[in-house]
Amino acid sequence: MSAPLPGIVITGASGRMGQMLIRSVSENDRMRLAGAVERKGHDWVGRDVGEAMGGAALGVTVTDDALSVFAEAQAVIDFTAPAATVEFAHLAAQARLCHVIGTTGMEEQHLAKIQAAARHAVIVRAGNMSLGVNLLTLLTEKVARALDAEYDIEVIEAHHNRKVDAPSGTALMLGEAAARGRGVALADVADRGRDGITGARQTGDIGFAVIRGGDIVGEHDVMFAAAGERITLRHVASDRSVFARGALKAALWGQDKAPGEYDMIDVLGLRD
Ligand SMILES: NC(=O)c1ccc[n+]([C@@H]2O[C@H](COP(=O)([O-])OP(=O)(O)OC[C@H]3O[C@@H](n4cnc5c(N)ncnc54)[C@H](O)[C@@H]3O)[C@@H](O)[C@H]2O)c1
Ligand SMILES: O=C(O)C1=N[C@H](C(=O)O)CCC1
C-alpha cells in the first residue's frame, strides 16, 4: 500500500500567490490540498475554494481557523503578510508541520519570532522561491567577490503596482549576496533611498532602486558599474508559477528534515 500524500494548507488563499498555489497543489499528484485559510471577515471564508476562484469545487472550504486545518496537514505554504506569517509560524510549531514562508517585508521583530518557532518546526523561508533567482544570488556573490570596490553595485527591481514592501525581498537577498561576496555587512553599506542633494556615491555602497507599475510580476538587475565597463546580471519572472514551483518543492523537501530554519539554497541542494 502506498503512503498517504502529504496534506498542504495554503494561507492567504484569495491572494495573487494564494490562488496560484491552490491551483498548483491541486494539480500536483505528489500532494493533496488539505486546507485554505483567509483572514477573519474575508468573504471567501465558508466557501469552497475552487468555486470562490471561479472554477470547479475542490472539496476544501476556506477557513479563518488556521490551527484546525494545520492539525490535519503536513505543510503550510504561506505568502501573506508579516504579522500573519508570525502567527502562522507559532501555530505551525504547535502542530509540528513544515512552514514554507514566501512573505516578504519582514522586520527584525518578525524574524526573531520566526527563529523561535523554528526550534519546533521546519521553516523554509526565501524572499524568492524561483530556481532562477536563487541561482542569481550565487552568481552575484561570485561576481562581487571577484571585483573590487571600483565596481559600484546597484540592485534595481520592478514589480506590479499592488506591492506593499520595498525594496523587494529578492532585491534584499541579492544585496545580501553581493555584501557576502565583498565580505561586508549589508546593513553597513546599503543605500536604500536617494532623493534630493544626496552627495556623491560612497565607494563600497550597495544601492537599491525601486520601480512599481502595472502588472510586472518581478524583475531584478544587479549592476556592477565601473569606469569604462558595466556588467548586469538579470532575472525576469513573467509568471508567478515559478514561485509556486519552488514553494511546492520546499514543502515536500521539508517533510523529513529536523526543526530549524532553511532557505531555497538548501532545498535546491546548491549549498557548498
Ligand atoms: N518568496 C517569493 O517567491 C514570493 C513571490 C511572490 C510574492 N511574495 C510575497 O508574498 C506575499 C503575498 O503576495 P501576493 O502578491 O500574493 O499578495 P496579496 O495581497 O495578493 O495576497 C495576500 C493574501 O494574504 C491574505 N492575508 C493577510 N492576512 C491574513 C491572515 N491573517 N490570515 C490569512 N490570510 C491573510 C490576504 O487577505 C490576501 O489574500 C508578499 O509578501 C509578497 O512579497 C513572495
Ligand atoms: O509580487 C511580489 O510581491 C513579489 N514579491 C517577492 C519579492 O518581494 O521579492 C518576489 C517577487 C514577487
Side-chain angles (χ1 to χ4, degrees):
M1 212 170 67
S2 53
L5 295 176
I8 313 290
V9 175
I10 305 299
T11 56
S14 80
R16 281 173 288 273
M17 279 306 300
Q19 294 194 47
M20 174 59 72
L21 288 159
I22 297 278
R23 271 192 294 277
S24 305
V25 171
S26 51
E27 288 166 5
N28 189 304
D29 57 12
R30 295 178 63 202
M31 53 184 63
R32 68 188 166 82
L33 184 64
V37 178
E38 254 304 342
R39 62 183 156 72
K40 281 195 196 329
H42 194 283
D43 61 7
W44 283 25
V45 173
R47 297 180 62 193
D48 181 278
V49 70
E51 289 176 351
M53 284 167 54
L58 289 172
V60 169
T61 303
V62 180
T63 181
D64 58 12
D65 178 5
L67 191 55
S68 68
V69 281
F70 284 13
E72 306 297 326
Q74 282 66 51
V76 52
I77 303 182
D78 174 16
F79 287 62
T80 54
T85 291
V86 165
E87 181 64 24
F88 293 138
H90 176 67
L91 299 177
Q94 246 179 282
R96 300 286 194 266
L97 45 69
C98 168
H99 188 187
V100 177
I101 300 176
T103 307
T104 59
M106 303 275 194
E107 293 168 358
E108 283 308 320
Q109 41 147 343
H110 304 117
L111 296 176
K113 289 179 182 153
I114 286 166
Q115 198 178 17
R119 287 202 296 267
H120 307 288
V122 175
I123 295 185
V124 181
R125 186 174 70 82
N128 194 306
M129 300 265 168
S130 75
L131 172 62
V133 158
N134 283 278
L135 286 173
L136 188 65
T137 63
L138 302 181
L139 294 173
T140 298
E141 181 174 347
K142 194 166 184 172
V143 175
R145 182 167 294 121
L147 300 174
D148 63 25
E150 291 305 306
Y151 287 78
D152 296 326
I153 303 179
E154 294 283 311
V155 182
I156 303 130
E157 58 106 328
H159 284 88
H160 55 91
N161 58 20
R162 312 309 300 162
K163 186 161 178 62
V164 297
D165 55 309
S168 67
T170 312
L172 294 171
M173 276 169 71
L174 293 166
E176 291 284 0
R180 258 195 317 279
R182 283 253 165 107
V184 297
L186 181 61
D188 294 339
V189 296
D191 188 355
R192 290 174 55 158
R194 297 184 186 122
D195 187 20
I197 309 296
T198 59
R201 194 183 196 288
Q202 297 288 310
T203 302
D205 275 1
I206 297 177
F208 290 85
V210 174
I211 294 163
R212 293 286 175 267
D215 61 357
I216 302 170
V217 173
E219 301 185 2
H220 293 86
D221 281 6
V222 185
M223 183 188 290
F224 299 83
E229 68 174 354
R230 195 158 74 220
I231 302 166
T232 303
L233 303 178
R234 167 172 294 172
H235 181 267
V236 176
S238 51
D239 192 301
R240 289 186 173 82
S241 60
V242 296
F243 311 131
R245 202 176 304 142
L248 267 56
K249 195 182 253 286
L252 292 176
W253 178 90
Q255 291 308 303
D256 59 359
K257 299 299 175 294
E261 256 193 295
Y262 302 90
D263 61 21
M264 286 305 289
I265 299 293
D266 297 308
V267 172
L268 297 167
L270 297 173
R271 200 166 301 287
D272 283 340

